[in-house]
């Protein structure tokens, strides 16, 4: 056929229940859209209500995007003044082990960039929280750039009242490197105070 075809289903103002492939037996294959440059919208004009995908799945899979994709996938794009909460694997009480992987392909063979809160803020307070909960009966590990590749790690900046705190408990603090590593504390132009050991209760400092 030629021209534009329109198919309307339950477009009236009355309440309607639409069921597609809801039978309890027999596997149904439900396809929406074909190989053309289709525009498919689901719940795209409603301002309240809900949209649920795979809520009852226990062992099935949910896939968004394909292996040959070059387009942009956006998850949450609110710009309104009230803001929005996007939760990923954040159930209130999780009984089983969850794994959340981001840019964690086993053998990537091209440039990879992971950006987190890299925008230039003009108002408000920005916070990044990692393992800040007061967990009990757990073991927690944070690993940053511990792979074998040569890596440059930068933490903090020297702008304004920026501050950096490194703190440990009875497990001690270790700053270690290769046999020929050079350690530098302070800069050539610094005028501040460098203090090593300031206990008033008695302490041994070995240099």
């Amino acid at each position: 056929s030629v021209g534009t075809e329109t198919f309307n289903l339950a477009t009236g103002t009355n309440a309607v229940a639409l069921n597609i492939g809801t039978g309890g037996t027999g596997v149904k294959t439900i396809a929406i859209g074909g190989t053309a440059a289709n525009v498919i919208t689901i719940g795209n004009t409603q301002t309240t209500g809900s949209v649920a995908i795979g809520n009852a799945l226990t062992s099935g899979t949910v896939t968004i995007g394909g292996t040959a994709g070059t387009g942009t996938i956006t998850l949450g794009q609110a710009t309104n003044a009230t803001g929005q909460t996007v939760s990923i694997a954040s159930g209130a009480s999780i009984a089983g082990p969850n794994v959340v992987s981001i840019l964690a392909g086993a053998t990537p063979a091209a440039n990879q960039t992971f950006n987190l809160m890299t925008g230039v803020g003009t108002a408000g307070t920005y916070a990044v929280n990692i393992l800040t909960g007061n967990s009990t009966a757990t073991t927690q590990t944070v690993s940053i750039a511990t792979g074998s590749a040569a890596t440059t790690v930068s933490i903090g900046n020297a702008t304004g009242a920026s501050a950096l705190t490194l703190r440990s408990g009875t497990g001690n603090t270790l700053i270690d490197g290769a046999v020929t590593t050079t350690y530098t504390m302070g800069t050539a132009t610094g005028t501040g105070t460098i203090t090593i050991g300031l206990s008033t209760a008695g302490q041994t400092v070995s240099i």
Side-chain angles (χ1 to χ4, degrees):
S1 62
V2 295
T4 301
E5 298 177 321
T6 301
F7 174 61
N8 297 317
L9 178 64
T11 57
T13 57
N14 294 332
V16 177
L18 295 179
N19 298 312
I20 301 175
T22 57
T25 59
V27 176
K28 281 80 174 173
T29 299
I30 302 171
I32 300 176
T35 58
N38 299 311
V39 178
I40 300 173
T41 63
I42 300 176
N44 219 33
T45 59
Q46 66 186 57
T47 57
T48 59
S50 62
V51 176
I53 300 175
N55 262 15
L57 285 177
T58 57
S59 59
T61 60
V62 176
T63 302
I64 301 176
T67 58
T70 59
T72 299
I73 297 177
T74 301
L75 179 63
Q77 58 180 352
T79 58
N80 55 318
T82 55
Q84 187 176 42
T85 299
V86 178
S87 297
I88 301 175
S90 298
S93 180
I94 301 174
N98 287 339
V99 177
V100 178
S101 300
I102 302 176
L103 267 183
T107 55
N111 295 340
Q112 308 290 307
T113 301
F114 175 61
N115 297 317
L116 175 65
M117 290 180 67
T118 57
V120 181
T122 58
T125 300
Y126 283 34
V128 177
N129 299 314
I130 301 175
L131 286 182
T132 57
N134 296 321
S135 300
T136 58
T138 64
T139 300
Q140 300 182 143
T141 302
V142 178
S143 299
I144 300 176
T146 58
S148 59
T151 306
T152 299
V153 179
S154 299
I155 301 176
N157 62 68
T159 303
S162 295
L164 176 64
T165 300
L166 298 176
R167 181 176 291 126
S168 65
T170 56
N172 302 327
T173 300
L174 173 65
I175 299 176
D176 192 13
V179 174
T180 57
T181 296
T182 298
Y183 302 88
T184 303
M185 296 181 62
T187 63
T189 58
T191 59
T193 300
I194 297 177
T195 302
I196 300 177
L198 45 68
S199 173
T200 60
Q203 190 174 41
T204 299
V205 178
S206 298
I207 298 177

